[in-house]
Amino acid sequence: ANVSKVTLYKHFSNKLTLYEHLIKMQMEKEREFTRNIVTDLIPYETKLKKLFNFYLERKMQTDVPTLDTKLILSLDMTKYIKNHKAKMKRLREKLYNEGRMNEYLPMDCSDSFLETLFFTIVEGLQTQSFRYSRMNPDEKELLFSLIAKPFLKW
């Protein structure tokens, strides 16, 4: 980015604060994107597709900072991450509720179950991100229609 170390350290006291700032920026983008999907007046199926694609595309990005679990973060950052995860969960729960209200999901299906199902699908797709990146658009559409079935009609 053609930024000198001197310029960086005028804004950040050390590498950790710089790293934490980058992670926060990425988390804010994630939350804003998810909020826009959940609150948009588009069909439920389109929301699901956008959300699955977002998680998958994010995994394939090489220029996005990832959270290194070996790194010891500041207490403020640890609190920020916990708060972020809670907000993201609430946004997904709104989407699950929309699925229930539109009779895509059973009313008695718990949020906990749907969270497990959602992340089982996402993490499964992420392990296959290389194969996914080589699919043509029709194959990606077919894959989505198959993996999203549990969220579309029971």
Side-chain angles (χ1 to χ4, degrees):
N2 294 332
V3 178
S4 72
K5 285 184 180 182
V6 174
T7 303
L8 277 177
Y9 286 112
K10 281 183 183 178
H11 299 284
F12 304 101
S13 59
N14 56 43
K15 286 182 186 179
L16 180 62
T17 56
L18 169 62
Y19 183 71
E20 287 181 351
H21 177 76
L22 294 172
I23 295 294
K24 280 182 181 180
M25 285 177 37
Q26 194 59 34
M27 288 179 165
E28 287 170 10
K29 282 183 188 177
E30 175 187 25
R31 190 170 52 245
E32 186 63 29
F33 184 84
T34 304
R35 183 183 308 112
N36 288 340
I37 289 173
V38 170
T39 59
D40 199 356
L41 299 175
I42 56 176
Y44 173 76
E45 297 94 336
T46 305
K47 291 179 182 186
L48 274 178
K49 183 177 182 179
K50 284 184 172 193
L51 204 55
F52 278 126
N53 280 334
F54 173 76
Y55 278 94
L56 197 62
E57 295 295 326
R58 189 183 65 179
K59 175 68 174 182
M60 292 189 290
Q61 291 176 332
T62 56
D63 61 341
V64 174
T66 55
L67 193 58
D68 183 352
T69 55
K70 297 174 194 159
L71 188 65
I72 298 174
L73 301 171
S74 68
L75 181 59
D76 285 344
M77 186 63 182
T78 304
K79 288 177 183 178
Y80 182 88
I81 292 169
K82 184 177 179 179
N83 186 27
H84 169 77
K85 287 180 178 182
K87 288 178 180 178
M88 291 299 295
K89 183 178 179 187
R90 283 193 297 275
L91 286 169
R92 287 188 302 274
E93 287 170 353
K94 284 183 180 182
L95 186 62
Y96 303 151
N97 285 334
E98 181 179 338
R100 288 184 190 103
M101 298 307 292
N102 291 317
E103 299 180 353
Y104 287 103
L105 299 170
M107 292 300 272
D108 61 347
C109 197
S110 73
D111 287 341
S112 176
F113 172 79
L114 292 171
E115 279 285 276
T116 301
L117 178 60
F118 180 81
F119 281 105
T120 298
I121 293 170
V122 166
E123 289 167 10
L125 283 172
Q126 288 175 341
T127 64
Q128 300 301 315
S129 60
F130 176 74
R131 288 187 174 133
Y132 181 83
S133 68
R134 300 178 77 203
M135 290 180 167
N136 68 47
D138 290 339
E139 291 171 329
K140 288 179 180 179
E141 189 67 35
L142 175 61
L143 180 64
F144 170 75
S145 68
L146 293 171
I147 61 169
K149 276 192 188 280
F151 287 95
L152 294 175
K153 286 290 180 187
W154 288 55

